[in-house]
Amino acid sequence: MEIITKIKEMQKKSQSLREKKKEIGFVPTMGALHKGHMSLIEKSKKENNITIVSIFINPLQFDDQEDLKDYPRVLEKDLKICEKLSVDIVFIPSKEEMYPKPQLTFVRVERLSDNLCGLFRKGHFQGVATVVTKLFNITKPHRAYFGAKDFQQAQIIKKLVEDLNFEVEILVLPTIRDKDGLALSSRHKYLTAKEKEKAKLLYHALMKGVSLLEKDIKDSKIIIEEMEKVLKKEPLIKIEYLKVCDPNFLTDLKEVSNTALLALAVKIGKARLIDNILWRNR
Ligand code: AMP
């Protein structure tokens, strides 16, 4: 496994792999790898000759400096996981390498960035879209892998690739959950055992929404109220948003027809957690 920390070296490497007709799969991460990240890496291994994983905690996408400071950094452990999964290249640039001078160029995907997390994390998706653009230019992948857990992020990246004509295929893979349904997240490291126990209500709330849709209850207001009741059973959970959205445009739906994204964000203790489920009429 090769570890690359310099942009120029990574670009040269990717260029030469492309010239040798190797297909490159890319998995961008912020580290503290778990089974969610691992599922993306495994898929990339299956579909490509070379898999590149990046580990970079992107300051541009943190609206909360405390969150940035506290974000888990466990590089040794991450490298062991990458090694075990036979990752070919780990790209680990420093902050100074990625942003040697103040960044004056930004990528902003309009509309899709406005709702959901965009309402609460100012500048977050601009930070994500900008770093992903940089990382695509550095790693030159044929395919890039993202998790459905960050549904809005995945939609934004797909649109960015379409609008800016990147020659990269975006693959969005299912959310990996623990046995209680809790979507795995690097931010679980902030939770106490008790808080983690309560966090499973997030999945219960989403499932409540699904069960109502399955019973043909399509009024979003009712669905949101019922999901809210599930979360409000636990005072440790502070709701940021609970929404029923159009999965393509990420706008609020008053009434569901054939498909809907049920999405939520909450704070529990020090952690901000998000989750979602995409419902489709069968
Ligand atoms: P992060 O390190 O949190 O920036 O996430 C890196 C990638 O892993 C993103 O594409 C996430 O959507 C994805 N990811 C994070 N958690 C999960 C999960 N539980 N299941 C599937 N993918 C995930």
Side-chain angles (χ1 to χ4, degrees), residues 27-37 39-40 56 61 71 145-151 153 173-177 182-187:
V27 183
T29 81
M30 298 206 296
L33 303 181
H34 51 65
K35 286 186 179 141
H37 301 109
S39 73
L40 307 182
F56 178 60
Q61 73 189 66
Y71 200 84
Y145 297 81
F146 293 86
K149 193 198 130 220
D150 299 275
F151 189 93
Q153 168 174 286
L173 303 189
T175 302
I176 304 295
R177 301 175 179 283
L182 178 62
L184 300 187
S185 163
S186 304
R187 289 190 165 84

Side-chain angles (χ1 to χ4, degrees), residues 94-154:
S94 66
K95 195 172 80 203
E96 292 71 26
E97 180 71 8
M98 287 295 274
Y99 303 111
K101 298 180 193 149
Q103 180 87 8
L104 302 181
T105 310
F106 300 95
V107 180
R108 189 160 58 88
V109 180
E110 293 187 353
R111 297 196 204 164
L112 297 180
S113 304
D114 293 347
N115 200 3
L116 300 159
C117 290
L119 291 171
F120 296 88
R121 301 188 73 189
K122 289 286 164 232
H124 169 68
F125 288 117
Q126 175 171 304
V128 170
T130 303
V131 80
V132 169
T133 301
K134 281 164 80 81
L135 289 168
F136 283 173
N137 283 329
I138 295 166
T139 59
K140 308 179 197 292
H142 295 83
R143 295 180 194 86
Y145 297 81
F146 293 86
K149 193 198 130 220
D150 299 275
F151 189 93
Q152 185 174 20
Q153 168 174 286

